[in-house]
Amino acid sequence: MLESILNSDSRLLLFLNQFHSHFWDHFMWLVANKWTWIPLYILILYIMQRGQGWKKAAIASVAFALVIACTDQLCGSVLRPFFHRYRPSQVQSGISSLLHLIDGYKGGKYGFPSCHAANSFGLAFFLVLYFKSRILSIFIMVWAVLVSYSRIYMGVHYPSDIVVGMLVGFAVSTLIYFTLKWLYASRLQIAAQYNIIHPCCTQQHMLFLSFGGIILIFAMLVTCFFI
């Protein structure tokens, strides 16, 4: 049964990886680059500061950083060395010659689960819980899917790498969010004072943040026309 699942995983990867072009190669490369999203992270911090002030935003940003650090280390330093599953782009996978790779990029040796998926979905799930905004939730989940899909497009992850990475992101972000909520509400008793778990951000703030993210993605698309 496991062999059947792995074969289906490979077939799905080959199917999804076949849709490529020069334009989308550049776009997906930008999407997968962690530095591309620095403006989005800055915008998130700016909105938090506008809605809560620097002191509250600083505490929340530490929680965000903790989510990313935990998902990245759990996937990269614990799960990958344990499972030892080669990336599809590596020769040992047996399908590397069938994949479309961007400029020969193969990534690291092991790829299960995906750190990109764990990190992006970890941040996305935390923001969904934190802001409780339908508008932002839709945008940030689409963003996480886009970042994760870029790794399949690039041929460096199986779909199952992405799915498990997503589950890791969900588990870590949920655990940290509710732990933080419990600490503030039950032990430190300053949840009401700092309003950290339920930030005072308006729908206008959420629209601005989501629109800013969309503008960033649009700018990336435009940039790819000139590369």
Side-chain angles (χ1 to χ4, degrees):
M1 183 176 180
L2 178 59
E3 184 178 354
S4 176
I5 293 174
L6 294 177
N7 288 336
S8 297
D9 202 20
S10 297
R11 286 195 296 269
L12 181 57
L13 169 62
L14 292 172
F15 173 75
L16 295 174
N17 179 256
Q18 68 179 318
F19 303 105
H20 56 83
S21 68
H22 180 74
F23 173 84
W24 292 114
D25 281 1
H26 288 295
F27 179 70
M28 291 300 175
W29 185 269
L30 287 175
V31 169
N33 191 322
K34 61 182 180 180
W35 302 111
T36 299
W37 302 108
I38 293 297
L40 178 62
Y41 304 148
I42 293 175
L43 187 58
I44 291 172
L45 294 176
Y46 171 75
I47 292 299
M48 289 165 51
Q49 185 275 329
R50 291 285 294 179
Q52 303 179 134
W54 284 113
K55 186 178 292 185
K56 305 168 191 177
I59 296 174
S61 64
V62 170
F64 293 163
L66 185 60
V67 170
I68 301 301
C70 289
T71 54
D72 197 67
Q73 287 302 308
L74 181 58
C75 290
S77 301
V78 178
L79 297 178
R80 285 185 182 178
F82 177 79
F83 287 104
H84 286 97
R85 188 187 189 188
Y86 290 105
R87 290 179 185 266
S89 52
Q90 298 295 330
V91 176
Q92 294 90 334
S93 71
I95 64 170
S96 60
S97 61
L98 304 176
L99 290 169
H100 169 70
L101 304 178
I102 300 178
D103 295 331
Y105 174 75
K106 295 184 178 182
K109 190 175 184 180
Y110 303 120
F112 180 83
S114 166
C115 288
H116 273 73
N119 296 345
S120 57
F121 274 106
L123 177 60
F125 283 125
F126 195 96
L127 291 176
V128 168
L129 292 168
Y130 185 80
F131 286 112
K132 301 184 185 303
S133 165
R134 180 178 298 179
I135 296 171
L136 179 64
S137 296
I138 293 173
F139 165 74
I140 204 66
M141 293 307 295
V142 171
W143 168 79
V145 170
L146 178 62
V147 172
S148 299
Y149 171 73
S150 70
R151 306 300 284 172
I152 294 177
Y153 180 96
M154 296 172 69
V156 295
H157 278 297
Y158 293 99
S160 60
D161 298 346
I162 302 300
V163 172
V164 175
M166 177 186 69
L167 294 176
V168 170
F170 173 77
V172 170
S173 60
T174 301
L175 177 62
I176 290 177
Y177 172 81
F178 284 105
T179 298
L180 183 66
K181 185 176 181 179
W182 175 76
L183 284 173
Y184 278 106
S186 302
R187 295 297 182 91
L188 302 181
Q189 298 181 351
I190 59 173
Q193 176 185 355
Y194 285 99
N195 202 24
I196 292 171
I197 300 303
H198 302 290
C200 306
C201 296
T202 65
Q203 282 296 92
Q204 287 73 22
H205 286 135
M206 298 298 96
L207 278 171
F208 181 74
L209 177 54
S210 301
F211 185 70
I214 292 172
I215 290 297
L216 176 59
I217 294 174
F218 180 75
M220 292 161 54
L221 287 167
V222 172
T223 300
C224 292
F225 277 110
F226 300 97
I227 297 179

